[in-house]
Amino acid sequence: QVQLVESGGGLVQAGGSLRLACAASGRSLSGFDMGWFRQAPGKDRELVAAISYSGGSTYYEDSVKGRFTISRDIAKNTVYLQMNRLKAEDTAVYYCAADTSYGLGSPSYDYWGQGTQVTVSS
């Protein structure tokens, strides 16, 4: 079992920055790829960034490339999402999730946090 708790969301003006954190308990995240998702009102949940279990590979959705950085600290059992140059369209609830597929197939995000609200004002 893995419990994930996101923090760091809030209200920020366009062009500003936030850093989200996803802290885990129950077991180490070291064996899991991790993802950050977001869901805006009326829209489907989308993957915005992911990081491999080792931290050696990352993925970013096109709209956030160059602005967001995903990282992880294995010792602290925590995954981060640094968000810079935020835009109004980044407004959403952001969730972290753990991929239990071990890289053997399609991702399977089986553990989720409760989400943290990010609101970007124009």
Side-chain angles (χ1 to χ4, degrees), residues 36-40 43-47 93 95 97 109 112:
W36 281 98
F37 294 77
R38 66 186 180 189
Q39 187 165 24
K43 298 186 67 177
D44 291 335
R45 181 183 62 197
E46 64 176 351
L47 177 67
V93 177
Y95 302 87
Y109 289 99
W112 295 82

Side-chain angles (χ1 to χ4, degrees), residues 3-94:
Q3 294 79 47
L4 304 174
V5 179
E6 302 96 336
S7 62
L11 175 65
V12 65
Q13 292 187 12
S17 298
L18 287 171
R19 188 173 78 156
L20 306 183
C22 173
S25 62
R27 63 155 292 167
S28 174
L29 296 177
S30 62
F32 299 134
D33 296 350
M34 297 293 297
W36 281 98
F37 294 77
R38 66 186 180 189
Q39 187 165 24
K43 298 186 67 177
D44 291 335
R45 181 183 62 197
E46 64 176 351
L47 177 67
V48 297
I51 188 166
S52 64
Y53 74 94
S54 67
S57 297
T58 57
Y59 161 85
Y60 298 96
E61 194 272 330
D62 286 344
S63 68
V64 307
K65 285 182 178 177
R67 300 189 297 119
F68 290 11
T69 302
I70 188 171
S71 62
R72 65 193 305 168
D73 187 330
I74 300 299
K76 295 182 178 180
N77 213 22
T78 301
V79 182
Y80 302 94
L81 185 67
Q82 178 67 47
M83 305 185 294
N84 297 326
R85 303 193 302 280
L86 283 161
K87 304 175 180 179
E89 52 262 43
D90 296 319
T91 295
V93 177
Y94 284 72

